[in-house]
Amino acid sequence: MGPLLLARGTIDRSSALRADERWLERAWADPATKVLVIDDGHTLVRRSGDEVHAVLFPPADAPAGERYLLGVEDGVAYFAVAAPLPGLPRSEVNGRVTIPMSLRDTPEGEPVAAGLRQVGGLLGDRDAGLLVYAVALEAWHATHEFCPRCGTRTVVQAGGHIRVCPHDSSQHFPRVDPAVIMLVRDEADRCLLARGPQWPEGRLSILAGFVEPGESLEAAVVREVAEEVGIAVTNPRYLGSQPWPFPRSLMLGFFAEAVTTTLTPDAEEIAEAHWFSREELTRALESGELRLPPPVSIARRLIETWYGGELTGDW
């Protein structure tokens, strides 16, 4: 399978340092430390020619906010701070910064706000890993401010990796929701693509669903396909995984073989589903009648692995 663009990273997460408050304070006081500011899943990036880089601040220039230790590389500490992005105007309607439709339209070198879907595949390995990590931590903290046992506001500890209730001393850790995503093939080696009812016509992808409590990944593949399109599959084969922090999924990619091929979509989850040969998929993409998930997604990588090469026609 091709490179999973959100599964990259070069930073040592340095978990042993998270509870060392003295080290954390020294690292924050070090002007060599680098800080990525994260605001509702967005950060600042700069375009330099065909390359895109995250804007990283020294601690003295970073805005105030919750700090998350992301790790260490070559002796340099990396933090994320959850705070409004500095230096950008904000909407009077919702208080958010403006996100450009395309980085190609922005002046080279000028900081602009961008999210993972927009730049996850454009950033280098280090910056992509930092942004995925920061987005995931920010999303977890935003929805777990209060103790689920007693409702007391929790306190951030361990470099942003634990929230502790001061009332009952319970500890709460970032959670990840595993989801299977599967490319289903039939005996003729056709690929199954489908569209959710919330998507516009022509936007197709492969099937996916969350793993249920007490369920194996392989069983989830078989169940989800049966529930969504009414066919039986066998031989789920794992290919790879990628974080998808919207807000906290881990996508686990599989191939599966169809035992039956008559499609009966669940109308609540699937608006349409079709089998495609490689030739049929090529024609549909060239005509513009079909668009595939973007290269940053594991769905695109699974489709291209089956196809045998790169494809065009992004959402």
Side-chain angles (χ1 to χ4, degrees), residues 73-111:
E73 182 180 53
D74 296 331
V76 176
Y78 290 80
F79 286 82
V81 168
L85 298 179
L88 294 184
R90 309 183 73 81
S91 168
E92 296 181 1
V93 177
N94 56 23
R96 296 180 178 177
V97 296
T98 300
I99 310 300
M101 292 297 294
S102 172
L103 291 180
R104 298 186 187 93
D105 302 329
T106 63
E108 186 167 343
E110 180 177 312

